[in-house]
Amino acid sequence: MEVFCGSRFWDSNLSIHTDNPDLTPCFQNTILAWIPSIYLWTALPFYLLYLKHSKRGYIVLSVLSRFKTLFGVLLWCVSWADLFYSFHELLQSRTPPPVYFVTPLIVGITMLLATLLIQYERLRGVQSSGVLIIFWFLSVLCAVGPLRSKIMTTTAQGHVNERFRFATFYIYFALIIIELILSCFKEKPPFFSPVNTDPNPSPELTSGFLSRLTFWWFTSMAILGYKRPLEDKDLWSLNEEDTSKSIVQQLSKEWDKEKAECKQKEDVTYRKKSNHVLNHVGDGPDEAEVLIRDKKHNRKPSFLKALLRTFGPYFLIGSFFKLIQDLLSFVNPQLLSVLISFIKNKDAPAWWGFLIAALMFTCAVLQTLILHQHFQYCFVTGLRLRTGITGVIYRKSLVITNSAKRSSTVGEIVNLMSVDAQRFMDLVTFLNMLWSAPLQIFLALYFLWQALGPSVLAGVAVMVLLIPLNSAIAIKTRAFQVEQMRYKDSRIKLMNEILGGIKVLKLYAWEPSFSEKVLEIRRNELRVLKKSAYLNSLSTFAWISAPFLVALTTFAVYVSVDEKNILDAEKAFVSLSLFNILKFPLNMLPQVISNIAQTSVSLKRIQQFLSHDELDPNCVETKVIAPGYTICVKNATFSWGKDLKPSLKDINLLVPSGALVAVVGHVGCGKSSLVSALLGEMEKLEGEVAVKGSVAYVPQQAWIQNATLKDNILFGQAPNEQKYQNVLEACALKTDLEVLPGGDQTEIGEKGINLSGGQRQRVSLARAVFSNSDIYLLDDPLSAVDSHVAKHIFDKVIGPDGVLKGKTRILVTHGIGFLPQVDHIIVLVDGKISEMGSYQDLLKQNKAFAEFLRNYALDEGIEEDELTMVEEEEVLLAEDTLSIHTDLADNEPVTNEARKQFLRQLSVISSEGGECPNKMSTKRRVCEKKPAEPPLPRKNPNEKLIQAETTETGTVKLTVFWQYMKAVSPVISLAICFLYCCQNAASIGANVWLSDWTNEPVINGTQHNTSMRIGVYAALGLLQGLIVFVSSFTLAMGGINAARTLHTALLENKLHTPQSFYDTTPTGRIINRFSKDIYVIDEVIPPTILMFLGTFFTSLSTMIVIIASTPLFAVVIVPLAILYFFVQRFYVATSRQLKRLESVSRSPIYSHFSETISGASVIRAYKRQKSFVDISDLKVDENQKSYYPGIVSNRWLGIRVEFVGNCIVLFAALFAVIGKNSLNAGLVGLSVSYALQVTLSLNWMVRMTSDLETNIVAVERIKEYSETETEAPWIIEDKSPPEDWPSKGELEFVNYSVRYRKGLDLVLKDLNLQVHGGEKIGIVGRTGAGKSSMTLCLFRILEAAKGEIKIDGVRISEIGLHDLRSRLTIIPQDPVLFSGTLRMNLDPFNKYSDEEIWKALELSHLKRFVSSQPSMLEYECSEGGENLSVGQRQLVCLTRALLRKTRILILDEATAAIDLETDDLIQMTIRTQFEDCTVLTIAHRLNTIMDYTRILVLDNGTIAEFDTPANLIASKGIFYSMAKDAGLA
């Protein structure tokens, strides 16, 4: 080296042991000059590779770029001027040492390279280059030393030595500083880049390198979010590479590739196998070989591989950052030990200390920047994973076969999307811990061993022993969680039923019994919560005490093993900071492993779903067909799944173009299956099917989307006003539109809730008519509508003169009236076509068809609804899952568990669907008819029935915290804070004692009274642990208390809420209060508060310790605190609103998905898959649009808060150096090791504040619903009617008017009527005339607007609601059953004896059925009574009425849902059993009331006619015309 440089390379006297250090000229000219060059040359190959692949278009040459290049060239000239100067010296025979040739050469070439790189980057469209910024920064850094050195030598000598080199160096230094400054500015966006039509592009794309490194580009949103609550329009668009379009495309490609590879291998195997069979000459071994090979090859396609190929490379960049960060995290403890030895060494020059402090700060800042880059990569990978998985599942769900769909309920499929995709997202964040944790553990142990030797093993042993304790606690907690989930599920399920059947509960006055059931479950739930609270306090205790116990054992062992082992400050505090590093990986590792286990289950489920069979698109031939025909089926056999028995056998069918073909047959004979077969929805086992032309399909259960009525009809077609109006007219929707609040812009609720069954069916039909297709497959569209409407629709739409004449129509029907007008009739019997032909032909043959007519003719003119649910009707599922979905799908992974089970219970298709189709036939949900909504005045054209749920904005008021504290109880709240103070006092005490111990003087190489030192240290530490245990337990108990009081108040209020509230609020929203918000109060708020208090007090104690040891620090605290406070306010405001936006935009993904699954057959029939996929992608992107800034906001916060933390480290070290003479080593160690820990607590404290503010909203939401207005009291003590009231059963309406809700029109206007005891009254009227409203008034579900009702002379408005409702009997329109035993469904209060119940069952003809069940009265009804047929459910309601047997019976006749047989049974029973009672019947079928005493005809809320049936027919009024329609007059 000496020869090379011409002087010494290193001189420690010159550089280190001096108050004014300097570097040797040789060192300056070699190492320092070469560092930037070495960096650039190493980075170059990788960077060029990256640039080659990044295409962004080029950037136009700008002034900035010209200047950069100019200065680059100048630098090159300056460096080579040095080189030429050396040659010049050579010529002058002053031979300079070789270094003066080599260094300028290297530097010159590097500068030239940098200049070329500037231009190349410009051509590749790089706006701001990280590589070059770092290069210029290094150059400046390495030139600062020589600069100082040159100035120092010049001032010392008084003259300049080498004038030329001196000058060039100054020029060089100026130029690199200019280059560094210029490189920080960013260029304009590239030219020719794809045109960005984005209204709101993300500034990330165009931000510079430094801005990306510190996430500075996010600041604009943080400020905006602080000024006002963010809205959708403020969110930036997603980056191109994060959108569904690009991600799902990539993932699908990889998955298809993976499937193709497996398929190829399988094909090869089979080919081999078949060859062997062909030339089979009885050679045994060969055959055996094939079988073995077969097993090996037949691997399933692995979804994991596809995921790795798609997302792996991007994720690995993050892993690389993690590696650097792990290594950096061990630098600071080493620096701490250097700092402590520096403080001990009183003669050391002061600049050492400043250098150490600066290095600590630099190292910490680097660590922060790199760590957050790593997190950014991980989270974005997670985001992409979720997008990809969601998209792939959605696309799959559109092509999956019906048998595959039946193997999992809608709920489970939606769960794949919500829960399982979420699991991947959660795992990715910590996946790197798999290799990083062992690495960190190994390094920490290595350094500890160096400091303390073998006694470290004692500490590690304690750590290792704590792991099984922690995992045991975790396992137990999980068990408790599962148990609690069970209770929670059953509570939510019960609540869901209660809210679904709230009207029935009110009518029967059954609320107390159900309320008791809910509270019973809730008690159990809280009991389990309490148990897990004990465990949680234990684990908190373990978590807080672990580092302390480890330190205690290590130090105790170290000091006791050998007298000569001295515990000095350096050893103690360096070990402490290393133990703190160890804590995290040891805790994370078991968690990551269990996370991986969970995710692998999810992976299997997703893979299984993605490997399901798909519908064969070529099952129905669409091109070739016999001329003149549109549908042609030859010898075809179909089944619902490959393994199920065929539902249609040997079908032969030719339908000529333009024919109207009716399909008739008994329940479950395969009519709907035939339609599905033509759509290609069934498995074709043999034969061929051809359908030529576009298809429109009207399913039996109308599928309605959650959109406006107009959108439902247009269904993606271009609007055409004229045609649209004609369609509305034909489908009899004009009158309905007048009734709906917003006309055709009315938002139709989830599952079409605000339309009646008939309206839904007509909308579905209108959609088909509007689509103007060639072939119409109509699956019983007329069953759900009234008879006159059915006639209108047949005449105007389907029939020979309808809108559709000339199209091919296949109509499944029960209406015999229409059969004479059709061209062909197909009669199905048990899946075979028994006969075909025109009406006349079939009558002549006198076979199955004639018999079918005879059965139904009794009932001519009465529309019959098919009572089956042939299995494909999974359409129903959407009905229940949607509402809950929309609201439940908020953001905790934990509720997802609950939701999963919840939806599973909701799914209507029961498990036996697969094996035996016949059992299914009775399980069909009746279209619920809502009472006709009264005609509303049109206020504004798009007034929605369901008011949008408001999301709270802005800061959470302090009153909410106060309400929560009141619920916890103020005393407990104070106690908790006090306990936390004690705990921190103990913790500080222990550490101060330790620092005092390390300062104990060393006498003859040993320290005295070590045992006393260890004892006090242990006592203080354990005291701290104990207080932690007590405080966390107290907190948990307080939380449970609060949860109990809040839930009770909510439930109490909801059962007292009037019915009108339930009409305007979707069930999902109320359920959401009971599930999500109660969950938050139960399980989220207490731990959040725990963490918040913990981090708050930790940060506080750090400040106290640092100020105590270096009082100067107090000066810095104020500015740092202000900075911290600002960052925290900006972050909390923005992040809270982003979280709200995210959870609001998340539910539509799942509701749209479950809607899609339930309407898959309709979507496929209309060929709308593509647009539905686009809608889904759009919804996912909308959600990720608010999720992505959420991730970035955490990074933004992290970098800023950790910067505050790093400043604390810097100042703690600096002040320690400044006050070096007055401080001892122990105190410095204490204060700096505290400072090193503070970053984490500061960061978590902000997060917890934010979480707390986000979650405390739940308290507000529950409060809001606990304080809605209530109905009249259930029981009014001094006003209760006599025991036997009503004894006569007289009813009187006096000037009675009523409206549904404030602000709506009257539904009944000035009714005056009197009913004598024992009269039988029939109430009839067109839809919306106010028939149902009358019954609701009797029960005071609707309160009078004016006038009154008297029963036996008692004004019903004056008595308690339960007194009134329990004395009236009603058989409601839709039979509502609750899940539970049959006995509970009949008699929830256990008022009646078994004999009475059996007697009632006998009278209602259910006795045979019930006694045939093994469990008799304890027979379990499933939710909604799904395991009873509709008829049986109706009979159960009759049994309830018979048990009550009061003097007044109200019978709200089921519309079209019930079969005639059941109907006759009910009518007969009522006539015999309720002979002497007053009976009011709301009739839809006139033949049931023709023999009643009097008939009340309502029209538009007033009494039109009221007289005996005979008189009414004679007077030829409204009743007469109705009777004529029904063929009775």
Side-chain angles (χ1 to χ4, degrees), residues 994-1295:
L994 181 68
S995 93
D996 194 48
W997 173 8
T998 56
N999 293 329
E1000 177 122 344
V1002 180
I1003 306 162
N1004 312 331
T1006 60
Q1007 277 175 323
H1008 287 299
N1009 44 13
T1010 42
S1011 52
M1012 188 263 299
R1013 289 288 186 184
I1014 292 176
V1016 174
Y1017 186 53
L1020 281 168
L1022 290 173
L1023 177 68
Q1024 175 202 357
L1026 203 69
I1027 298 175
V1028 169
F1029 181 73
V1030 174
S1031 62
S1032 68
F1033 185 69
T1034 322
L1035 186 69
M1037 288 298 95
I1040 289 174
N1041 253 347
R1044 179 181 298 120
T1045 42
L1046 290 167
H1047 176 265
T1048 316
L1050 177 65
L1051 181 69
E1052 179 75 4
N1053 178 282
K1054 276 297 129 281
L1055 291 177
H1056 280 84
T1057 305
Q1059 180 65 34
S1060 61
F1061 176 82
Y1062 293 101
D1063 289 342
T1064 52
T1065 314
T1067 326
R1069 202 177 287 171
I1070 308 172
I1071 282 284
N1072 199 15
R1073 296 292 188 277
F1074 279 100
S1075 59
K1076 178 165 172 287
D1077 294 328
I1078 289 285
Y1079 154 80
V1080 167
I1081 287 178
D1082 283 353
E1083 300 175 62
V1084 181
I1085 293 183
T1088 312
I1089 291 180
L1090 185 86
M1091 284 283 286
F1092 172 71
L1093 289 174
T1095 50
F1096 174 71
F1097 280 105
T1098 314
S1099 313
L1100 194 67
S1101 53
T1102 305
M1103 299 306 155
I1104 292 171
V1105 168
I1106 299 178
I1107 290 179
S1109 54
T1110 50
L1112 251 181
F1113 185 75
V1115 182
V1116 199
I1117 264 192
V1118 178
L1120 283 181
I1122 290 173
L1123 178 65
Y1124 180 74
F1125 176 75
F1126 265 103
V1127 168
Q1128 191 253 13
R1129 280 331 307 161
F1130 277 102
Y1131 168 78
V1132 170
T1134 307
S1135 120
R1136 189 181 51 235
Q1137 203 53 27
L1138 284 171
K1139 269 190 194 146
R1140 281 178 188 160
L1141 287 173
E1142 199 268 336
S1143 59
V1144 168
S1145 66
R1146 176 176 283 199
S1147 14
I1149 300 177
Y1150 306 133
S1151 44
H1152 175 250
F1153 181 45
S1154 45
E1155 208 168 58
T1156 305
I1157 295 175
S1158 51
S1161 51
V1162 179
I1163 294 171
R1164 283 195 289 260
Y1166 287 98
K1167 304 262 181 295
R1168 303 257 308 134
Q1169 295 98 315
K1170 172 92 180 60
S1171 58
F1172 269 76
V1173 167
D1174 293 344
I1175 294 173
S1176 170
D1177 282 355
L1178 186 73
K1179 286 187 189 303
V1180 173
D1181 286 348
E1182 280 297 307
N1183 177 239
Q1184 302 291 37
K1185 224 164 79 173
S1186 49
Y1187 180 74
Y1188 183 69
I1191 302 173
V1192 178
S1193 70
N1194 285 340
R1195 301 288 72 77
W1196 180 87
L1197 166 83
I1199 282 184
R1200 284 160 189 57
V1201 167
E1202 284 179 33
F1203 181 74
V1204 173
N1206 298 338
C1207 289
I1208 293 178
V1209 174
L1210 172 70
F1211 290 121
L1214 261 185
F1215 295 143
V1217 175
I1218 292 171
K1220 165 180 170 192
N1221 302 328
S1222 57
L1223 287 177
N1224 55 31
L1227 269 180
V1228 173
L1230 177 70
S1231 97
V1232 177
S1233 64
Y1234 256 105
L1236 284 174
Q1237 277 180 69
V1238 78
T1239 2
L1240 237 166
S1241 348
L1242 286 178
N1243 205 336
W1244 274 106
M1245 192 161 89
V1246 180
R1247 292 279 178 87
M1248 288 301 129
T1249 327
S1250 167
D1251 279 3
L1252 197 56
E1253 287 198 16
T1254 311
N1255 287 317
I1256 202 84
V1257 173
V1259 178
E1260 193 175 4
R1261 288 166 52 120
I1262 283 182
K1263 271 286 191 239
E1264 174 200 351
Y1265 270 35
S1266 314
E1267 288 159 4
T1268 50
E1269 59 163 339
T1270 52
E1271 53 187 6
W1274 283 346
I1275 290 171
I1276 301 175
E1277 286 304 327
D1278 49 348
K1279 286 278 175 73
S1280 54
E1283 275 303 306
D1284 60 344
W1285 178 86
S1287 49
K1288 302 200 273 294
E1290 289 178 358
L1291 277 179
E1292 191 178 356
F1293 282 72
V1294 184
N1295 287 336

Side-chain angles (χ1 to χ4, degrees), residues 508-760:
Y508 288 139
W510 277 2
E511 298 103 330
S513 144
F514 279 81
S515 151
E516 193 34 58
K517 282 169 76 174
V518 176
L519 291 174
E520 177 57 34
I521 300 176
R522 180 73 178 153
R523 276 194 287 274
N524 289 332
E525 195 182 350
L526 291 176
R527 202 190 62 238
V528 179
L529 263 181
K530 198 174 252 176
K531 279 191 210 157
S532 56
Y534 284 112
L535 279 181
N536 282 336
S537 345
L538 250 183
S539 71
T540 314
F541 169 69
W543 163 253
I544 299 265
S545 311
F548 168 77
L549 286 174
V550 173
L552 174 69
T553 40
T554 312
F555 296 153
V557 171
Y558 178 69
V559 180
S560 326
V561 173
D562 184 358
E563 288 255 291
K564 294 274 179 286
N565 281 350
I566 296 163
L567 189 66
D568 56 6
E570 195 179 331
K571 286 189 181 125
F573 289 108
V574 174
S575 322
L576 272 185
S577 56
L578 285 167
F579 280 134
N580 276 325
I581 291 180
L582 255 182
K583 183 165 90 168
F584 187 64
L586 276 175
N587 266 294
M588 280 310 294
L589 204 54
Q591 260 188 30
V592 172
I593 291 169
S594 78
N595 255 3
I596 285 181
Q598 276 184 349
T599 311
S600 68
V601 174
S602 291
L603 182 70
K604 277 203 195 80
R605 289 175 40 177
I606 292 177
Q607 193 165 306
Q608 185 193 351
F609 179 73
L610 291 178
S611 309
H612 274 324
D613 295 340
E614 301 185 2
L615 286 172
D616 173 14
N618 308 321
C619 143
V620 175
E621 174 62 57
T622 50
K623 303 279 181 290
V624 189
I625 195 162
Y629 292 100
T630 34
I631 297 176
C632 161
V633 185
K634 283 190 194 144
N635 304 329
T637 301
F638 300 94
S639 88
W640 280 113
K642 291 199 174 83
D643 41 0
L644 299 175
K645 65 177 205 303
S647 341
L648 293 171
K649 298 176 275 289
D650 311 325
I651 303 288
N652 280 299
L653 174 66
L654 276 171
V655 178
S657 307
L660 167 55
V661 180
V663 181
V664 295
H666 289 289
V667 166
C669 66
K671 299 188 292 289
S672 298
S673 302
L674 180 61
V675 174
S676 296
L678 295 177
L679 285 170
E681 298 280 313
M682 292 180 79
E683 299 270 353
K684 182 173 67 177
L685 302 180
E686 54 190 70
E688 49 195 77
V689 188
V691 173
K692 191 156 171 57
S694 54
V695 177
Y697 168 53
V698 178
Q700 193 174 9
Q701 287 283 324
W703 176 71
I704 303 290
Q705 277 182 282
N706 183 357
T708 62
L709 188 111
K710 186 167 186 170
D711 292 341
N712 262 300
I713 294 176
L714 295 179
F715 203 53
Q717 296 262 26
N720 170 344
E721 200 48 39
Q722 182 58 45
K723 179 168 137 194
Y724 175 66
Q725 291 303 333
N726 293 345
V727 170
L728 289 181
E729 179 58 45
C731 295
L733 279 166
K734 281 274 168 75
T735 45
D736 298 290
L737 290 187
E738 284 158 24
V739 177
L740 290 169
D744 63 1
Q745 289 304 317
T746 307
E747 183 84 19
I748 297 189
E750 18 183 325
K751 71 189 179 184
I753 187 118
N754 43 349
L755 296 180
S756 69
Q759 287 169 326
R760 267 178 267 177

Side-chain angles (χ1 to χ4, degrees), residues 699 701-703 869 872-879 1157-1159 1161:
Q701 287 283 324
W703 176 71
M869 164 172 185
E872 77 274 23
E873 299 292 350
E874 277 165 66
V875 181
L876 290 178
L877 291 186
E879 304 217 334
I1157 295 175
S1158 51
S1161 51

Side-chain angles (χ1 to χ4, degrees), residues 901-919:
Q901 287 158 323
F902 183 39
L903 289 173
R904 207 168 287 143
Q905 294 154 346
L906 273 179
S907 49
V908 182
I909 301 292
S910 55
S911 50
E912 66 233 27
E915 306 97 47
C916 91
N918 326 7
K919 270 196 205 161

Side-chain angles (χ1 to χ4, degrees), residues 52 100 171 251 280 637 679 707 785 920 945 962 970 1019 1142 1147 1248 1256 1367 1390 1492:
K52 217 174 144 179
Y100 287 113
I171 297 170
L251 185 57
H280 172 61
T637 301
L679 285 170
V785 297
M920 297 287 301
L945 163 82
W962 174 236
E1142 199 268 336
S1147 14
M1248 288 301 129
I1256 202 84
R1367 311 292 174 85
N1390 286 332
Y1492 274 29

Side-chain angles (χ1 to χ4, degrees), residues 250-266 297 299-310 607 611:
Q250 269 174 302
L251 185 57
S252 302
K253 204 169 77 190
E254 294 294 353
W255 173 235
D256 291 340
K257 211 155 67 187
E258 177 65 25
K259 280 197 292 198
E261 275 171 27
C262 288
K263 194 127 175 67
Q264 230 170 344
K265 286 187 180 165
E266 255 174 62
H297 271 306
R299 74 177 180 90
K300 287 206 179 79
S302 144
F303 188 52
L304 183 64
K305 267 193 183 166
L307 288 176
L308 288 176
R309 282 191 201 140
T310 318
Q607 193 165 306
S611 309

